[in-house]
Amino acid sequence: MEEVTPFLKALAAHRDRYNAQFRLARHRSKNLDANAFLEHLRVFVSPIVNAAGGDPIEVTDALMDLSLATHGRLPVSLHRVLLNQARFVGMDPARVSVALANALHHLESEPGTTTHKWITYLEYYSRSLETVESLLDLGVVLAWVCGLAALRESALDVASRLAPGTLRGFTFTDDVDQLRADPWWSPTNRGLRIVRKLGAFRGFGGTFTRPPTVFLHEGRLHATDGAHTWRVHADAYGGALRRADNATPQHQAPTLTLSRDGAVSCNGESRVFRQLAGATSWTSWSNTLAVTTPWTHSIMFVAHS
Amino acid sequence: MLVNQTYRHVSQSPTLPGTAPPQDEFDVAALYETPLSLGSAPAVSLDEKLRKAYFWIVNHAIISPHYDLEFAEGPGASYHLGDSKARLSLPSGQSYSSFVLVPLLTFATRRRCLLVGGPGRGKTASAILMGMLAGYPLRDVRRAMQHGHPQLTISDMLGTPLPGDLIKAERLADIDVAWRTWLGMRVKIVDEYNRIPTRTQSALLTLMSDGYAEVFDQIYESADSAWYLTANDDSGGGTYQVIEALKDRIDVVVHALAFNSRFLGELQERVEQRLRPEEVVPPEIVFTEAEHDRMHAEILRVPLPKEVRRRLEFFAAQFELLEPAGEQFEYRTKDTANLAGVDVHLLSASETGRDRLADLGAQTLTGLSVRSLQSVLTYAKALAYFRGRPEVGLDDLASVLPFVLHDKLKPNDQSPSFDEPGQRPYRTDRVSWIRSLFERACAEYDRLDLDVHDPVGDLLAEFELGLDDVGETEVERRLGRIESLLAEWSRDRKLYGHVYDDALALKYLHQRYVNYRSWLRWKK
């Protein structure tokens, strides 16, 4: 005889409502298969509800909404995340389940991110956490470290709220100010060096249709291929391009300079990078130089630490 | 990849393209709050939430593929079909279904809406959805709905005195009343209100107009609410004649339009799958009491520009004048004739001098009440708010007028205007009739160039500046202008409705200046 689990109790208590929800969802999505959805409830939803604690009806409601919103096609990785974080799902079912699903979606959508690392680190470092807020703070900082470069500023804002030692565990420092001041900081690398290449030809799955050029707008790096313009986010952990068609070049005094033959100079130090020779555009701010050349659809970054 | 398109999900913002700024920064909020959203997702303005509610209802809940509230953003196409050359217009702007939007605006402004149409057209379903938008459980909304029937008593509707108190009480004040729970709800639904007996209608009138209920000398102060009344026959049919005062309290009337047979497939699916949209109203479009209050306040703050208000003034002025109804100038109105029980049409037929085809006032048996004008202003603001407009536009005003004045402006069926071939349909299509009245009033307003040349408006504006430091010489000059204007009109112009109102406004100004002049002379 099958054990009456919290999930089964919730289903029994709100059978009519869940059935009505499913019928409405199938009304809009003809491909929503009843048997497949039942299997999804059994394999995906049930273990999480049973592990979550809290009010099983609230947890079931939240996961049912999430499942219907995605036509029962939730990624396997989300199942692992929600199961790992089941006690937090039990605390605030709708908020935690949707937030973690969204975070995972953003990580999986951004090229170059390490989703597996985010899941593993979240599982490891969340063990000592007590509240939903602290879990979400940790998730943001980890998402940044795992490659969502666009999250840098907001992740640094919440990084100081992490427990002592947690930040050091994956950035090698507890000093948030240091991470904020130097986007390319690492405990080992020093001097002038190429730190990142970002962007690719659209024909090969990248962003740019032509080799881009770079410029600063309101102190922030932008790139254009002539047809469109993007805001460029880049640091030691990742890079991202976001459409920003209203940006226009604005002059700003350079902090690093680039000669025609590829020599980068900063504070009396100089180093030649042959791949930067014949640059079509370059711009610098703080300790970063961004360079484009006619030979590649990537933006190259040089840092000085 | 997550997909965000299911029945329970509402339209994504912005529902009006161009009303929300593009998002440049990718923030923590974006990590956790998109693409899937929670029901309590913040940062959506209430007008956007109202639009989301509208689109959810038309896309998922009520099959109403009608876009009779048309708005233009540039030129639009139109085609004439059939022998009658029925015009079908294809609006270039975002247009709406009145059957959904008007009840929704009623919800937002907490006014009173009458839904009319044949049985089974979705009137009650629409009202129930409004109750769901207020956050009430479906079961509560259904239980709170009052069903009109010939045996409905005041106690059935309002509350019952406690039996024990009835026996023991020595005074009426000792009798406690078990009030019906629906009295405290923000959405009140009265189904088939024209089947309620006359005496019970009077109790309903008190509740609707004054916001309280009275049983056995006990008073219940009712919450400020949106009212939805349904009737199968808007011409007062049913078991009981609806009392005029109750009809007059209804702010807006909307028709349930005919079912479009092309959408039978949709209906079939709902039947087969036992779909009940009201059971799964998305939380994103549910308004808390605080949000409801705030939305109402925001609507009232939408500015109504003077230029638009002037058009409404000019339109409203067309209908009250009835020259033969009185001897004194102020009493030459349809109201005077109606109070005396004299047929307005008979009196208006004896009028001479005015073109009865061109005179808009000749087409009605009544003028416009203050209450109806208040409703016009409120709904025009609500529509502008819903459309995300910074202020009320002429198109907002023109769109709400037919629904607000539907039962307020009584047509004079015997007017020769309705015999004109192009205007014959107006005998039955009151919405189009009122719309055409407003269009013709606006055309006349433009012909008279009143936006530029408005001497009465200038005089009123001058008076509005105040009388501080205005000397007797200036007062005499202004009085002279008023008198010369009236003298000019007495020579050249026929008396039309707007001239009548202007003449009374001039008399008002004249009297204010005369009193002020008397005071100045006494002060000396």
Side-chain angles (χ1 to χ4, degrees), chain A residues 20-21 23-28 30 65-66 68-71 74-75 94-95 98-99 101-103 105-106 135-136 139-140 143 148 150-151 154 220 231 242 244, chain B residues 1-9 22-28 30-38 59-60 266 269-270 272-277 279-280 283:
Chain A
Q21 281 180 272
R23 285 198 299 273
L24 288 167
R26 193 165 64 172
H27 178 63
R28 288 293 150 191
K30 312 294 180 197
D65 283 349
L66 190 62
L68 290 171
T70 54
H71 299 192
L74 289 164
R95 184 179 175 208
V98 169
N102 282 333
H105 165 71
H106 286 297
L135 173 77
L136 297 182
V140 169
L148 282 184
L151 271 184
S154 45
R220 291 164 171 171
R231 164 91 189 277
R242 297 269 184 273
Chain B
M1 175 70 78
L2 300 177
V3 183
N4 191 20
Q5 291 175 350
T6 72
Y7 197 88
R8 286 203 72 192
H9 282 89
Q23 199 165 356
D24 179 33
E25 293 299 308
F26 185 83
D27 202 351
V28 178
L31 178 71
Y32 289 140
E33 293 175 7
T34 60
L36 295 168
S37 62
L38 283 167
N59 289 337
H60 303 310
E266 173 93 7
E269 274 187 40
R270 290 189 182 197
E272 289 170 351
Q273 297 181 21
R274 289 177 290 151
L275 289 171
R276 295 188 190 92
E279 289 177 354
V280 278

Side-chain angles (χ1 to χ4, degrees), chain B residues 163-182:
Chain B
D165 288 354
L166 278 177
I167 296 166
K168 288 184 241 163
E170 295 179 357
R171 295 171 303 161
L172 280 176
D174 297 335
I175 300 172
D176 274 341
V177 175
W179 297 104
R180 300 278 182 249
T181 50
W182 75 286

Side-chain angles (χ1 to χ4, degrees), chain A residues 197-225:
Chain A
K197 287 176 75 175
L198 178 65
F201 174 48
R202 187 178 294 177
F204 297 152
T207 306
F208 303 118
T209 54
R210 280 177 288 191
T213 56
V214 288
F215 62 90
L216 291 175
H217 173 82
E218 295 180 348
R220 291 164 171 171
L221 183 65
H222 288 73
T224 179
D225 62 0

Side-chain angles (χ1 to χ4, degrees), chain A residues 253-298:
Chain A
T255 51
L256 289 86
T257 58
L258 175 69
S259 69
R260 191 173 291 275
D261 60 357
V264 177
S265 303
C266 177
N267 294 337
E269 189 180 335
S270 185
R271 184 174 169 187
V272 175
F273 299 94
R274 289 192 173 188
Q275 59 268 52
L276 303 185
T280 50
S281 71
W282 62 269
T283 187
S284 63
W285 71 102
S286 185
N287 68 335
T288 306
L289 172 75
V291 184
T292 59
T293 69
W295 329 115
T296 174
H297 286 75
S298 300

Side-chain angles (χ1 to χ4, degrees), chain A residues 2-293:
Chain A
E2 193 176 2
E3 183 191 356
V4 181
T5 62
F7 178 61
L8 291 178
K9 283 181 188 168
L11 284 187
H14 290 279
R15 180 184 168 192
D16 290 343
R17 181 156 56 84
Y18 295 139
N19 284 344
Q21 281 180 272
F22 177 79
R23 285 198 299 273
L24 288 167
R26 193 165 64 172
H27 178 63
R28 288 293 150 191
S29 174
K30 312 294 180 197
N31 298 326
L32 189 58
D33 179 73
N35 289 326
F37 195 78
L38 279 175
E39 181 67 5
H40 165 81
L41 292 180
R42 193 182 63 77
V43 174
F44 189 105
V45 176
S46 174
I48 299 168
V49 175
N50 295 336
D55 181 351
I57 293 175
E58 277 187 35
V59 179
T60 306
D61 281 355
L63 294 179
M64 184 69 92
D65 283 349
L66 190 62
S67 300
L68 290 171
T70 54
H71 299 192
R73 291 198 288 269
L74 289 164
V76 176
S77 53
L78 179 63
H79 182 254
R80 181 182 159 191
V81 173
L82 293 177
L83 201 56
N84 287 340
Q85 309 303 336
R87 64 193 173 99
F88 295 104
V89 174
M91 291 178 197
D92 194 344
R95 184 179 175 208
V96 172
S97 58
V98 169
L100 293 179
N102 282 333
L104 201 60
H105 165 71
H106 286 297
L107 281 157
E108 290 180 339
S109 306
E110 189 74 46
T113 54
T114 49
T115 307
H116 181 75
K117 181 177 162 188
W118 182 79
I119 295 170
T120 307
Y121 277 28
L122 192 69
E123 182 181 353
Y124 179 77
Y125 289 105
S126 66
R127 286 175 186 164
S128 58
L129 301 180
E130 298 295 332
T131 65
V132 168
E133 299 300 335
S134 58
L135 173 77
L136 297 182
D137 283 349
L138 174 66
V140 169
V141 180
L142 281 176
W144 163 54
V145 169
C146 292
L148 282 184
L151 271 184
R152 174 182 167 76
E153 294 303 321
S154 45
L156 286 169
D157 287 344
V158 301
S160 55
R161 298 207 290 259
L162 299 186
T166 299
L167 186 63
R168 174 179 289 274
F170 43 83
T171 63
F172 304 105
T173 178
D174 288 330
D175 189 347
V176 176
D177 291 336
Q178 188 174 43
L179 290 169
R180 196 186 295 278
D182 183 358
W184 311 101
W185 183 85
S186 90
T188 51
N189 295 322
R190 288 285 181 275
L192 281 168
R193 64 203 187 277
I194 290 181
V195 285
R196 181 165 296 282
K197 287 176 75 175
L198 178 65
F201 174 48
R202 187 178 294 177
F204 297 152
T207 306
F208 303 118
T209 54
R210 280 177 288 191
T213 56
V214 288
F215 62 90
L216 291 175
H217 173 82
E218 295 180 348
R220 291 164 171 171
L221 183 65
H222 288 73
T224 179
D225 62 0
H228 298 292
T229 303
W230 290 263
R231 164 91 189 277
V232 184
H233 301 265
D235 65 6
Y237 299 107
L241 299 161
R242 297 269 184 273
R243 280 283 290 275
D245 281 332
N246 293 327
T248 50
Q250 292 170 343
H251 177 71
Q252 187 171 313
T255 51
L256 289 86
T257 58
L258 175 69
S259 69
R260 191 173 291 275
D261 60 357
V264 177
S265 303
C266 177
N267 294 337
E269 189 180 335
S270 185
R271 184 174 169 187
V272 175
F273 299 94
R274 289 192 173 188
Q275 59 268 52
L276 303 185
T280 50
S281 71
W282 62 269
T283 187
S284 63
W285 71 102
S286 185
N287 68 335
T288 306
L289 172 75
V291 184
T292 59
T293 69

